[in-house]
Amino acid sequence: MEALRTTFRFRPETGGERKVECQDLLCEPRPPSSPPCGALALRPGQRSSPSMLPSCRLPCLPVLLPLAALLLSLLLTGCSAISPPRFTKVPLDQIGVSGGVVSFVCQATGDPKPRVSWNKKGKKVNSQRIETIEFDEAAGAVLRIQPLRAPRDENIYECVAENIEGEVTVNAKLSIIREDLLPLGFPNIDMGPQLKVVERTRTATMLCAASGNPDPEITWYKDFLPIDPSASNGRIKQLRSGALQIENSEETDQGKYECVASNVEGVRYSSPANLYVRVRRVPPRFSIMPTNHEIMPGGSVNITCVAVGSPMPYVKWMLNSEDLTPEDEMPVGRNVLELTGVHESANYTCVAMSSLGIIEAVAQIIVKSLPRPPGTPVVTETTPTSVTITWDSGNPDPVTYYIIQYRATTPFSKFETRDSITTTRYSIGGLYPNTEYEIRVSAFNTIGQGPPSEPVVARTGEQAPASPPRNINTRIISQNTMVVRWSEPEEPNGQVKGYRIYYTMDPNQPMGQWQVHNVQDSLLTTIGSLTSSETYTLRVLAFTSVGDGPFSDPIQVKVMQDVPTQPAKFQVGAVSDTSIELTWEPDQDKSIVSYDLRYRESKLGNPVSKTFPPLICLCGGGPKSEHGVSLLAGGRFQEGFGSLHQRNPTNHRASQAFRPPSRN
């Protein structure tokens, strides 16, 4: 098979054969003597028709028949006719001034596009003073002569436009007048353009003023080529004054400008002036930095990044080393990254780049969730009232603050809380001495409080006891020996190492002069070498490895066998206007047959004494009276009363009988 080429060629000016070239088709090989396959000849005045389609040998028909409609379309509409050159701008005769400048402008069109050139006396122009400047892909040319020399340059100049279809010419005459022979109306440049520097996008105005008779017409040349303001979409305007105004100036506007004044007397060029368009060179910088965002799992977010500079930078997004913005879609200045269905936290990088540099900014997208448990706390220091702990955050993402929960390990104790802790070290104060505590830490973020860490158990340090021993009780077992019993302090503040019993027959002496009896690992002791029938005052304290605790209240005991000991826990109960309730703890000594109660109804009143059996006693006082009371226990065999147990003066207001507790 060989290519079928259909050719039509038009030569209307000769009246000869017309042919047009169209797309090749496939056809069977033909003998060398046969006419070209698909060649169609048309005579002047004859039109083509479907019946005149190019014919081939029979093997070509299967190819031509399916494409008949397409071929017809190509013949009628798809083929473009070629044409010889014709002038669209012809040069005009000019009268120049000796030493000056003239320019002849010539431009043509045709198919294919013609080439324009200049001749002088049938030969190509060739001179250092005569220059040809091509434009419009050589379909236009300016013949510029500078400086003019008379009579050498006075001549007829020929513009030639030619293509494969033909050639056309046009002539222009140049006349030159000496400066001293110029006519009065010859154009003169009164004010020519000056050197100007303008920033890109700003407006530049090149001034020009000319005079002559008649008033000359002003035109402009840039780099020796004529300026056509109508081809600039209004960006370049020639003002009525003759000035050239260039709005929104571009780098392509930079060049050498000339103002040309012409009338019937001749043409005059201004001195050239350069216009420089200054392009600010500013490295890229971010005018809107990308911001960090916190979103819920599966959420969406848009991150905006804006950069400026001169030239304006391209902006793209990256995730690690992966480009998220396709290179052929990279926007200038502003880029918005749209993220949807985000389940993992990540850092996204905005990159702005220009010929002057590359800058980057990072936006953190944090997918919010409850924080993880911190690491198990580590105890670094303990005191009697505080525990200091440190811990590891345990969270890769920042937390808002930490929460510490602690409680004593005793049954039914509840957690106490310290929150708003912004460090991973904290000292918990206000604790009880020698107490074991369970401590745990949890983290808090914008979602809420996360699960707690594994607990740590710490014991505070010891202190001296904060309270004295309780339930001090004595018993005389011989003429000079007594047994003392007591209970542990309510607040031992550590491990009690022992007790000290201070006793004396003169309670007014300083404590340092009292006799001391030390006891270890026991709540019971025997004190001997006492003076018979004398009354002793006792006080007991407990001590730890840190120091001594406070003394117990003093109690008195009379060294006499079968005499009851001082009633224990003697205290005031309910008080009314006419009565006071007194309570005490009965002695287990069954020899007590009665109690003696002594009191005064006022500080200066006479003492009152009442004796009553161990079960009950009823007694009263006047309204709002003040009483100082003391209580003694009487012996079974009437050997006498034991030591007094004194109470401070008491005001009473409620009606209640004095009532000793019942004995079991």
Side-chain angles (χ1 to χ4, degrees), residues 64-77:
L64 291 177
L65 290 177
L67 299 176
L70 176 62
L71 183 57
L72 179 61
S73 174
L74 290 172
L75 291 172
L76 297 179
T77 62

Side-chain angles (χ1 to χ4, degrees), residues 230-249:
S230 63
S232 67
N233 295 323
R235 193 176 65 86
I236 300 177
K237 302 174 184 176
Q238 183 170 324
L239 306 181
R240 294 181 61 184
S241 63
L244 186 69
Q245 180 175 285
I246 305 172
E247 297 178 352
N248 193 24
S249 57

